[in-house]
Structures are given as C-alpha cells and as structure tokens.
Amino acid sequence: MSTEEPPWWTRAVVYQVYPRSFQDSDGDGIGDLGGILQRVDHLADLGVDVVWLSPVYPSPQADNGYDISDYEDIDPLFGTLAQFDELLAALHGRGIRLVMDLVVNHTSDEHPWFVESRSSTDSPKRAWYWWRPPREGMAAGQPGAEPTNWHSFFSGPTWTLDQDSGEYYLHLFARKQPDLNWENPEVRQAVYAMMRRWLDRGVDGFRMDVINMISKDVGPDGALHDGPPLPGVPYGDGSASYLCGPRIHEFLQEMHREVFAGRPDRLLTVGEMPGVTVEQARLFTDPARAEVDMVFQFEHVGLDFDGDKWHPRPLRMRDLKASFGRWQAGLADVGWNSLYWDNHDQPRAVSRFGDDSPRFRRDSATCLATLLHLHRGTPYVYQGEEIGMANFPFTALEQFRDVESLNHHVQAVAHGADPAEVLAAMRRASRDNARTPVQWDASPAAGFTTGTPWIAVNPDHREWNAAAQREDPTSVLAHHRRLIALRHEEPVVALGDFTMLLPDHDDVYAFTRSLDGDTLLVVCNVGPAPQPLADLLPEAVGAGVVLGNLPEDDPAVLRPWEARVLRPAR
Ligand code: TEU
C-alpha cells in the first residue's frame, strides 16, 4: 500500500436494492422509488455507505429492468425523475451514496436505437448492433442456420431472425436484449454521454452489468466463430468469443477517460464480470490502469454446481477456501476485491452455504456474514440478507417469474428432461429465490405492499422479518449493524493483510488480518458439529473477543456455526 490515503470504498459497505422487490408505495404489488424513500431509515440504521440500485429505467421488464428501452428516464412502474432526485437527496442527506446499474452490453429490443437498427439494412443505426446473415449455405430460419452456434445465458440460441431483413441479431441473454456493437465508436460515445448525464445529476457511480462481455472477438474480416459443443443441447459455448474480449481493457480505459477522469473521487465503479480470472481482475482493478475500482467475480458462486447452475453438487469447504484465498492473495498488492454471497441472481446464501433449518438459521446467517465481512475487500449486502432471508419453498412452475428459469424449463423439458427434476433444480437455483419481497413485518404481505405482490412473499416472513429483529440485539440484523460498524472503526478490517489458516480443514474457516502490528484472528465453524478450537488454533483460546455471533462460553470450543473475531494478546 502506498502512503497515499486509501480510497474511501476500502472502508465502505454497499447495500443492493432490487427495486421491484424492496418496498411498494402505491399498492400495485411492485416495489418503487417511493417505497425506497420510506425505507431510507432502515439503510441509515444499518450503517451502509452506498446503495447500488438495480435498474429503474423505462423497460418492457422482460428481464426485470435489465432490458432498457430508455437510459435517460425512470420507468413509470417505479416512479418519476423527480422522485429519483428526491431519493438521491434523501440518501445523500444521510451520508449514503447512490450507485446506478449500468446495463450497456445490450439494450431492450424496444429501445429506439434497436427499433431504428432493425428498420432497414441501410439504417444509420444498423451497425449499432450485431446483424449477420444466416450461416453459409443455409436458409434463414432453418434450424442450425444461426450465424454461430452459441448458447444463450437464458437458453436457446444467441441469435434471433428478423424476418423482414432475413438477418439475425445477436443477444447473449434473452431475445429481447440485443447486444450493442461496441466496435462502433458512435455506440461508445452515446453510452459515455449518457453516463456523464447521470453523474451530472449527482449519482455516485455505476455497477456495470456484464461489462466484460462488451468486446466480442471479431477477426479482421468481422467474423464471429463457433464455440465447442455443449452436452445435452444443440449449441456451443461461445464464451471464448465474448468474455474479456480483445478490446475490453481499451474500452474500459476509454470509458474512464471520457466519463470519470477529473471527477471528484467520491465515485465508485464495479464491473460485473462472469468468468473473470484473478489475473484478469488484477488488470481491471489496478488503479494505475484507470479501468474500474473493483469487479464482481463468480468463482465462489460456481463451486456448488457442475458445469451449469441447474446441476448442483455439494460445496466442499476446501474449494471455497482455495478460491477466496487465491483472490485475497491475487489482489493483495494491486487491485481490490468485492465481497458478496447474495445478489438478485443468486439463491439465498443462508440456504445455500449455511443451514436454514430453524435450529441453525440465525447462527449460520451471522456466521457467513462474519466470514465475508472480515475479508479484505468491499462487502456487498443484498436486500433481505441482513435479516437472514432464505430460499422460497417453490412447489409449482406457476410460482416462478424469472425469464432465465422459465426459458430453462421449456428447453430442458423439450430436450427430454424429467419435469419434476427440472423443477427441483429450479427450486434450489432459481434467481427468483432472491427476488421475493423483502420481509418487513409479520403482516400478510410482509409490509411490502397493500396490494398483491408480483411474486409470492415467503411464508416464513411471520417469523423472519425486519420488525422482529430491529430491537433484538441477538438478531441477524443487529449482527450486520455490528459488522458494518467494525469495518468503519477498525483500520485492520478495511486494510489489513489476509492470511488463510487451516486451508484443508472441512469445517473451520480461519484467517488473520494484520495491519501495522495489529492482528485480528477470525475463526468460523461452518458446520453443525462443535470444533475443538484449543487443538486447532490454541492461540485463539486466550484472545480477546472483538465480535462474536454467539454469547461467550467455553473459549476452547467453537460451537456449531459460531464465528469469532479475536484480537490475540501481543
Ligand atoms: O447477470 C449476468 C450473468 O451472467 C449471470 O448472473 C446470469 O444472468 C445468470 O444469473 C446466471 O445464472 C446480469 C444481471 O445481474 C442479471 O440480472 C441480468 O439478467 C443479466 O446480467 C443480463 O442483463
């Protein structure tokens, strides 16, 4: 670390709001800006420094707002620009920054840019997207005539035929999310201008959706290439052609110059980067290269499935330690980590990595939170995580809303999978687990809405809700408050070095953090059996407890799901 003052976000905790599911203020069953305004006190009370707001722009809502038809406004579903300004002021008034979601790998197919692009092969906006004729020697619309064999993130091919022109357009995600052509400088300048307008409005940065997919690997002839075949589907894996493509660093550096250079350093940029490696992340987050402050990597949320998210396998703690340990070491001297378990795309951590049975739900939620927040990096809390929200007990297809889950069901069943098994996988892995309404209180719609919620409220809200936890010092909520405060108060939490201990132990996750002679020892029992701490880490036994998730008891034994942050005697 240099002698310069470290960036403010090294001490910060970010809270993600997924507006559709946070708080409804007008009774239509969908969360909105007015609702967030009503809950600003909850955020201030928690002590978070930043809110990352998932998309609120006008959108046909094919992917809950990640399909944007106008970057410059607010969807009436969520409110108005005036309300947005009011929210921004309310957050700023409490010292909380607001980071917008920036979704510019693709637009909605209803964005005027795409409508214009599709209108004719000579449209001035034709080259703003990826249009290609059918595969050589094949007729448009014939199965397999797609320009490449790539499998979409949301099932099916990544190409949709436009009947009028006989050409296909590229969409890595849903067919209503056509990919922008970043090779085109006009596209880039339009995006930068839009970003500048939001910053001028007062927002404090961006979370950049799938930003490592904007550079596609086109050869000198503009050709895109097939990827290796995938098992079980008639498609291939195109990721080598679009993950961290050849111009990705150039584009992000250009964006930095055009949008961020010379602005006050209160801003935060975080690039969402599926498939990013730690070596690449060092480049993306090296301050000297001026690209982004930090990235969301996906390694740890890929350890409990085989190949794809619908084929789960048990998580091995050793794999998690090896992965987190590698990221901590890889970004120790250059760059910065972001730390997360949950977001709007992931099933709930307490159900996935913890134990959501009544006996261990509170303890495992607080244990996981302690483990994460004590790493070096910027922690992200996803709405509801701070009260220990769990997966939804889905039993029927009709309960799902997410385009990824629904498309997967159609495709898997069409390819011969057993519908009951497909449903079981969805119950466990669907993004809808993260999208059920925030559980504010024990009332029928959990205080989320006075109407009918767009997706069912988890029946466990009668017991698991914010109101029940607010005054309870032993609650998951109170524990998050303490963790956030600890990062603010203790320089060693924000900036200390990280050393993994017991890398091969299956149930105890332990590490130290050190800064200028101050050391914290963090010990977490990530399983249901007591662990003999005295044998495993004798130095932990006499150490002072800085923060724990269970009442102090026998210092020599780590109880199931117990987490302790200790300061060993010097
Ligand atoms: O997600 C990107 C991504 O690759 C994965 O999270 C993927 O969408 C899926 O969840 C894997 O199971 C981002 C957004 O976070 C997500 O909500 C959007 O649907 C997607 O991009 C497209 O904009």
Side-chain angles (χ1 to χ4, degrees):
M1 207 66 344
S2 74
T3 49
E4 267 175 53
E5 177 75 4
W8 63 270
W9 36 255
T10 55
R11 295 180 306 276
V13 176
V14 183
Y15 185 95
Q16 183 191 353
V17 170
Y18 192 68
R20 172 176 274 271
S21 305
F22 190 66
Q23 175 68 56
D24 179 22
S25 69
D26 62 3
D28 67 355
I30 298 174
D32 48 35
L33 295 177
I36 305 172
L37 258 168
Q38 292 169 12
R39 297 293 183 186
V40 166
D41 286 341
H42 176 79
L43 305 173
D45 168 66
L46 191 56
V48 295
D49 305 275
V50 183
V51 165
W52 148 30
L53 181 60
S54 276
V56 288
Y57 315 95
S59 160
Q61 303 288 326
D63 185 19
N64 291 356
Y66 284 89
D67 51 319
I68 297 170
S69 52
D70 179 359
Y71 289 114
E72 313 278 345
D73 207 345
I74 301 295
D75 196 300
L77 198 61
F78 296 123
T80 61
L81 271 173
Q83 264 179 313
F84 176 82
D85 290 338
E86 202 186 328
L87 175 63
L88 186 59
L91 290 169
H92 283 170
R94 286 164 172 84
I96 301 173
R97 292 173 166 93
L98 179 64
V99 162
M100 297 293 273
D101 218 307
L102 180 80
V103 188
V104 290
N105 173 68
H106 44 268
T107 67
S108 164
D109 65 339
E110 298 180 38
H111 193 292
W113 297 345
F114 187 75
V115 173
E116 167 64 42
S117 181
R118 147 184 257 169
S119 68
S120 138
T121 50
D122 334 304
S123 152
K125 293 242 168 15
R126 191 67 170 180
W128 281 44
Y129 293 84
W130 295 89
W131 290 99
R132 289 291 185 277
R135 192 179 286 271
E136 185 93 31
M138 295 187 82
Q142 212 181 320
E146 291 83 13
T148 66
N149 68 346
W150 304 348
H151 190 213
S152 157
F153 282 95
F154 292 164
S155 302
T158 56
W159 298 92
T160 289
L161 176 65
D162 175 54
Q163 293 289 352
D164 293 341
S165 66
E167 291 190 337
Y168 290 83
Y169 66 86
L170 175 70
H171 53 88
L172 297 182
F173 293 89
R175 60 171 62 212
K176 284 187 69 63
Q177 293 168 296
D179 280 50
L180 280 166
N181 177 11
W182 276 69
E183 297 295 312
N184 185 336
E186 287 176 28
V187 167
R188 306 203 298 273
Q189 288 305 327
V191 168
Y192 304 151
M194 172 271 283
M195 294 171 74
R196 288 191 295 260
R197 283 189 286 274
W198 282 104
L199 293 179
D200 292 344
R201 201 170 193 103
V203 310
D204 303 293
F206 298 97
R207 172 270 186 187
M208 305 175 180
D209 193 63
V210 292
I211 202 70
N212 65 330
M213 302 190 193
I214 58 178
S215 166
K216 273 74 172 175
D217 191 0
V218 280
D221 53 350
L224 297 167
H225 297 285
D226 283 349
L230 286 165
V233 285
Y235 306 106
D237 174 6
S239 59
S241 297
Y242 56 74
L243 291 186
C244 300
R247 300 182 71 186
I248 185 62
H249 294 289
E250 176 197 335
F251 291 163
L252 289 178
Q253 287 170 10
E254 179 183 75
M255 176 191 283
H256 194 279
R257 272 197 313 276
E258 298 273 337
V259 178
F260 300 107
R263 301 238 178 206
D265 57 10
R266 65 179 166 81
L267 302 184
L268 170 70
T269 56
V270 48
E272 189 212 23
M273 300 197 175
V276 70
T277 63
V278 67
E279 292 76 22
Q280 290 160 339
R282 265 175 83 88
L283 299 176
F284 285 120
T285 64
D286 177 354
R289 294 171 57 90
E291 298 184 20
V292 290
D293 295 327
M294 60 191 91
V295 303
F296 288 132
Q297 55 98 359
F298 283 70
E299 227 176 72
H300 64 299
V301 289
L303 297 174
D304 61 345
F305 58 75
D306 235 341
D308 79 69
K309 65 183 273 179
W310 309 111
H311 295 96
R313 64 160 190 225
L315 170 78
R316 287 181 313 192
M317 193 41 63
R318 259 173 248 214
D319 294 345
L320 182 71
K321 289 181 184 179
S323 173
F324 272 167
R326 204 152 22 73
W327 279 84
Q328 290 286 308
L331 301 183
D333 53 339
V334 171
W336 192 250
N337 271 291
S338 57
L339 308 168
Y340 74 95
W341 292 123
D342 271 340
N343 61 42
H344 65 294
D345 294 333
Q346 301 295 331
R348 291 285 181 178
V350 67
S351 303
R352 181 181 187 181
F353 303 113
D355 179 341
D356 63 8
S357 70
R359 174 146 179 238
F360 291 129
R361 180 160 165 185
R362 184 243 161 240
D363 298 348
S364 68
T366 49
C367 180
L368 289 174
T370 310
L371 190 164
L372 190 79
H373 282 246
L374 267 293
H375 277 67
R376 180 182 157 98
T378 300
Y380 286 70
V381 177
Y382 176 65
Q383 63 184 38
E385 185 176 6
E386 78 278 24
I387 55 169
M389 279 179 63
N391 281 354
F392 186 91
F394 292 106
T395 51
L397 190 59
E398 299 70 57
Q399 295 169 319
F400 291 91
R401 299 286 177 272
D402 178 26
V403 60
E404 180 190 51
S405 295
L406 297 173
N407 284 4
H408 165 68
H409 189 269
V410 170
Q411 174 174 288
V413 172
H415 287 97
D418 171 5
E421 277 174 29
V422 176
L423 202 64
M426 284 164 59
R427 175 185 171 132
R428 179 173 174 145
S430 174
R431 307 195 296 184
D432 281 334
N433 281 301
R435 300 176 179 188
T436 62
V438 171
Q439 297 165 199
W440 297 107
D441 61 40
S443 68
F448 165 69
T449 182
T450 55
T452 308
W454 70 276
I455 188 170
V457 173
N458 197 315
D460 70 12
H461 76 274
R462 284 173 207 94
E463 193 184 346
W464 289 88
N465 62 69
Q469 297 188 22
R470 192 149 289 131
E471 307 300 329
D472 174 1
T474 69
S475 66
V476 181
L477 180 59
H479 193 74
H480 274 88
R481 237 185 252 134
R482 285 193 289 271
L483 286 171
I484 294 166
L486 192 70
R487 174 166 293 264
H488 293 156
E489 288 155 13
E490 296 272 5
V492 63
V493 174
L495 297 168
D497 295 342
F498 177 99
T499 306
M500 188 72 81
L501 305 174
L502 310 174
D504 297 325
H505 201 283
D506 285 321
D507 296 294
V508 176
Y509 193 118
F511 53 92
T512 57
R513 302 290 312 282
S514 312
L515 182 74
D516 302 334
D518 185 21
T519 294
L520 294 180
L521 169 60
V522 181
V523 290
C524 304
N525 181 354
V526 287
Q531 296 294 333
L533 196 55
D535 303 337
L536 292 169
L537 291 167
E539 66 272 35
V541 176
V545 180
V546 177
L547 192 152
N549 71 334
L550 296 178
E552 286 190 44
D553 190 24
D554 182 353
V557 177
L558 210 51
R559 285 161 285 175
W561 294 105
E562 178 169 8
R564 287 186 210 152
V565 181
L566 304 164
R567 184 168 266 128
R570 294 169 66 178

